[in-house]
């Protein structure tokens, strides 16, 4: 700032060495959890709720992977005390393709934890095929 200064150690070449710890400033997940959910034989045009395990403590959603045996659409939700909150826009994928949705920020999708009602992260996946039944799959990655 022109009035104070700090001394910085450099290599003998004058280059500044920076050691990055903990994944470039991103926090290490505490109690990381991966839940998978699937629905087999979901009828053409029908939807299925693919839910995580019941959430018992405050959690932060990091990422969701969605795939299906047919073209699909999906939406990521948080359900707290049985109240649904959409946390993503509609996502679309082809048969056999995995769509990966990452939260915009590590604190973007938080879940308060256990309540008297249903407490889960959810993917509502819809079979977009005109005639074939579908296997729908979701993987939800979250931590405290």
């Amino acid at each position: 700032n022109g009035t104070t200064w700090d001394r910085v150690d450099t290599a003998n070449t004058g280059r500044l060495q920076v050691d990055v710890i903990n994944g470039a400033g991103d926090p290490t997940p505490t109690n990381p959890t991966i839940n998978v959910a699937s629905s087999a034989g979901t009828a053409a045009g029908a939807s299925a709720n693919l839910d995580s395990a019941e959430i018992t403590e405050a959690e932060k959603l990091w990422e969701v992977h969605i795939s299906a045996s047919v073209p699909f659409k999906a939406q990521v939700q948080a359900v707290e005390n049985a109240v649904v909150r959409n946390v993503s826009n509609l996502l679309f994928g082809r048969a056999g393709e995995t769509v990966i949705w990452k939260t915009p920020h590590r604190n973007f999708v938080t879940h308060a934890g256990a309540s008297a009602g249903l407490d889960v992260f959810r993917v509502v996946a819809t079979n977009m095929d005109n005639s074939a039944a579908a296997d729908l799959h979701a993987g939800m990655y979250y931590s405290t």
Side-chain angles (χ1 to χ4, degrees):
N1 64 9
T3 59
T4 60
W5 57 274
D6 290 315
R7 193 166 277 157
V8 177
D9 289 330
T10 61
N12 60 358
T13 60
R15 294 186 176 153
L16 178 63
Q17 178 179 342
V18 178
D19 292 326
V20 178
I21 302 173
N22 289 335
D26 232 359
T28 302
T30 305
N31 300 324
T33 302
I34 302 169
N35 279 156
V36 295
S38 62
S39 174
T42 304
S47 297
N49 290 340
L50 307 177
D51 289 351
S52 70
E54 184 78 14
I55 294 174
T56 59
E57 61 186 337
E59 301 281 0
K60 296 177 183 182
L61 184 66
W62 291 63
E63 188 169 297
V64 178
H65 296 192
I66 309 161
S67 62
S69 58
V70 299
F72 64 93
K73 74 176 179 180
Q75 187 159 41
V76 181
Q77 300 176 333
V79 181
E80 293 188 67
N81 198 17
V83 176
V84 176
R85 173 173 49 107
N86 293 329
V87 297
S88 78
N89 198 356
L90 285 176
L91 307 165
F92 294 88
R94 296 183 207 112
E97 173 183 75
T98 299
V99 172
I100 299 173
W101 182 77
K102 293 184 179 190
T103 62
H105 184 273
R106 67 181 169 266
N107 293 322
F108 186 77
V109 181
T110 59
H111 198 297
S115 67
L118 181 66
D119 294 298
V120 296
F121 290 119
R122 170 179 287 164
V123 173
V124 178
T126 303
N127 176 346
M128 297 299 288
D129 195 87
N130 292 327
S131 59
D135 294 335
L136 307 169
H137 306 277
M140 291 155 267
Y141 301 74
Y142 54 93
S143 71
T144 55

